[in-house]
Amino acid sequence: PLMLFKCLLLRNWFQINSDVDLESLINDRFSFKKFVGLPVGQSAPDSSTFSRFRKRLTMKKYNKVLSDISDQLSGKNLIINMGNTLDMKVIKSNRPS
């Protein structure tokens, strides 16, 4: 449950739009794997696991825990700068320079 909750924190903090994207990003980023506690060779839980966990948690409980975490971070003068994730691919153009 702790690992799944950490995954949901990443989804919230990085404004990840879907559970499928969350699964993909955890598998792609070493920093995300480290944060949630997954060994390098292990895959992230599948997207349906996130959905089932979130439903079991309920939004009221989820928001309460998020609020408590924010209060604790603020008490230690830590700030979470929420951001976005981007997928990019560099494509060589045939256009002359």
Side-chain angles (χ1 to χ4, degrees):
L2 178 59
M3 180 190 63
L4 292 173
F5 187 77
K6 286 180 174 184
C7 292
L8 296 183
L9 287 175
L10 289 174
R11 183 170 179 194
N12 182 358
W13 291 339
F14 287 91
Q15 300 176 7
I16 299 168
N17 293 323
S18 72
D19 292 333
V20 172
D21 289 343
L22 177 61
E23 177 186 353
S24 176
L25 287 166
I26 292 170
N27 285 328
D28 186 59
R29 295 183 177 199
F30 176 75
S31 60
F32 280 22
K33 278 193 173 211
K34 185 174 180 180
F35 177 76
V36 301
L38 274 176
V40 174
Q42 187 174 340
S43 296
D46 65 270
S47 57
S48 63
T49 302
F50 299 133
S51 177
R52 287 192 307 273
F53 178 73
R54 195 172 37 258
K55 286 177 185 170
R56 225 176 71 195
L57 186 60
T58 74
M59 286 308 291
K60 183 177 178 181
K61 290 177 188 175
Y62 178 66
N63 288 331
K64 171 71 173 129
V65 174
L66 279 180
S67 176
D68 290 348
I69 289 171
S70 292
D71 291 345
Q72 290 176 29
L73 292 172
S74 294
K76 295 183 184 278
N77 294 321
L78 297 172
I79 299 170
I80 297 294
N81 289 321
M82 294 174 62
N84 290 315
T85 57
L86 297 173
D87 283 334
M88 296 177 58
K89 184 175 185 179
V90 177
I91 300 172
K92 187 175 179 177
S93 171
N94 290 329
R95 187 176 138 194
S97 301

